[in-house]
Amino acid sequence: MRVFQFLFLLLFFHLACGASYAQGGLVRGAKNIMSIQAIQLARQSFVQGQLLNQVSRGLVQISRPGASEVLGTGFIFSSRQRLWVAMPYHIGGVTGSRRVIRFTGENHQLVEREISIVANGNAGWHAPDVSLAEFPPQDAPLVQPLSIGTPLLNQTAYSFGYVSGRTSGVEGILPMERYLFNAEGFGLMADRRIPGEDAANPFNISGYCGAPVVQWVDGKWRAVGLHTGSCVTEKGHTRSFAVNLPRVLPLLLNRYLKNGSGFSRDLSFRGWLIGKLLPSEKVHAVEVLRGGERIFIQLLRNYPNPYSDEHSELALGNFELLSGDEIRFEIRNNQREVRFLSHKLP
């Protein structure tokens, strides 16, 4: 790490001094501009030269079966003597969901595999927004899994992800720099400045969710977070959100490996556990009862996103809930058998 820092400073000094010597008659403002450009070029060279090629062999694009559209990014990691693919829950969905991963194989050839989600978390800024699938073992020689590390606060980190419409190779990966400042619960928060015209709408970037957030930890570049979204603040800043990987991945892996592929999963609403769902079950509708009468219902059968289960609470939108309201979930399985789970607000 110290060698990289030295090279960075050497490049900066060389470029800055070269610009000053060649244009010694220019005003101080021009020199300052050249110094800023030198820093930016050196930083870009450092990031891309040391990280991009390494991380790219562990990245995958996520799509639905039969579709070319990029839903998001995922990455490969190793644990319990297996390879896994991590992606956002709001991209991968619940256990049993089918997704397609694309990655670069030998001779830069695109490899496409269909996978099945085996474990999932739930939705929310500070929730374990992660879905896991097993990576095909026959393709292990083609990839380089990322190591997992503990995030270091008040330090710089980098994220790498695909953007919809770009290719699946290194040239299609978008690197971003962020500054980690908070790691509470399952969440990991960072600030990042978006320069120029992108500041007005910096995250109109479909496909970037799921990008691994990497830091230099214990002498190695390691994935410490999984990007799940951002919001714009004043003066062109963004606040970026990620999942704290060392806090989430062990929970999901333990649940899957302990219970096997037939384990039940939680149905929750705003932090309350409503009940358990089997892999063959999905939430068909969510409704609100007030005083014993139904005052709201939303069918999720044609809800235009890949979510279900925990995300069904989003169907309520801006509907104002009152104390004593009953939230009732209609559950159906593959045979269209119906049952209900409900929760009364305190």
Side-chain angles (χ1 to χ4, degrees), residues 82-146:
R82 303 189 200 182
L83 292 184
W84 309 87
V85 180
M87 67 196 78
Y89 165 70
H90 69 263
I91 298 295
V94 300
T95 300
S97 299
R98 305 292 294 179
R99 292 292 181 264
V100 168
I101 59 172
R102 301 187 186 95
F103 56 94
T104 304
E106 295 179 336
N107 301 319
H108 302 285
Q109 295 295 314
L110 184 64
V111 180
E112 184 173 296
R113 297 285 187 262
E114 186 168 327
I115 58 174
S116 180
I117 302 301
V118 299
N120 66 270
N122 60 315
W125 291 120
H126 298 285
D129 188 355
V130 178
S131 291
L132 297 180
E134 292 199 53
F135 184 79
Q138 69 271 18
D139 294 321
L142 304 179
V143 299
Q144 181 176 327
L146 277 64

Side-chain angles (χ1 to χ4, degrees), residues 46-250:
F46 168 74
V47 172
Q48 294 197 356
Q50 301 299 326
L51 285 176
L52 190 56
N53 289 330
Q54 174 183 334
V55 174
S56 64
R57 293 196 60 201
L59 293 185
V60 298
Q61 287 183 341
I62 309 294
S63 297
R64 293 189 185 93
S68 59
E69 177 188 4
V70 177
L71 290 178
T73 302
F75 70 90
I76 304 162
F77 70 98
S78 177
S79 181
R80 323 292 173 91
Q81 300 181 335
R82 303 189 200 182
L83 292 184
W84 309 87
V85 180
M87 67 196 78
Y89 165 70
H90 69 263
I91 298 295
V94 300
T95 300
S97 299
R98 305 292 294 179
R99 292 292 181 264
V100 168
I101 59 172
R102 301 187 186 95
F103 56 94
T104 304
E106 295 179 336
N107 301 319
H108 302 285
Q109 295 295 314
L110 184 64
V111 180
E112 184 173 296
R113 297 285 187 262
E114 186 168 327
I115 58 174
S116 180
I117 302 301
V118 299
N120 66 270
N122 60 315
W125 291 120
H126 298 285
D129 188 355
V130 178
S131 291
L132 297 180
E134 292 199 53
F135 184 79
Q138 69 271 18
D139 294 321
L142 304 179
V143 299
Q144 181 176 327
L146 277 64
S147 300
I148 306 300
T150 302
L152 303 176
L153 295 184
N154 302 316
Q155 295 193 30
T156 300
Y158 301 92
S159 57
F160 299 84
Y162 288 108
V163 178
S164 182
R166 294 194 180 188
T167 64
S168 60
V170 174
E171 63 276 8
I173 298 172
L174 178 66
M176 294 185 181
E177 183 178 340
R178 60 184 74 200
Y179 184 79
L180 304 184
F181 69 87
N182 182 282
E184 295 183 3
F186 295 124
L188 191 61
M189 300 174 65
D191 280 332
R192 188 176 68 87
R193 181 179 294 277
I194 309 295
E197 61 185 11
D198 290 333
N201 192 9
F203 269 83
N204 188 16
I205 305 173
S206 176
Y208 200 76
C209 282
V213 179
V214 298
Q215 275 187 319
W216 184 260
V217 180
D218 296 330
K220 187 175 182 179
W221 289 106
R222 301 177 187 272
V224 300
L226 180 142
H227 177 83
T228 55
S230 295
C231 62
V232 183
T233 63
E234 68 282 357
K235 298 182 180 180
H237 288 77
T238 60
R239 178 154 293 176
S240 300
F241 298 88
V243 171
N244 192 327
L245 290 176
R247 294 183 180 177
V248 173
L249 294 183

Side-chain angles (χ1 to χ4, degrees), residues 122-123 266-275 309-313 329:
N122 60 315
D266 294 343
L267 172 63
S268 59
F269 178 80
R270 300 186 179 180
W272 290 295
L273 179 63
I274 308 302
D309 299 352
E310 292 92 340
H311 262 96
S312 59
E313 66 183 76
F329 300 87

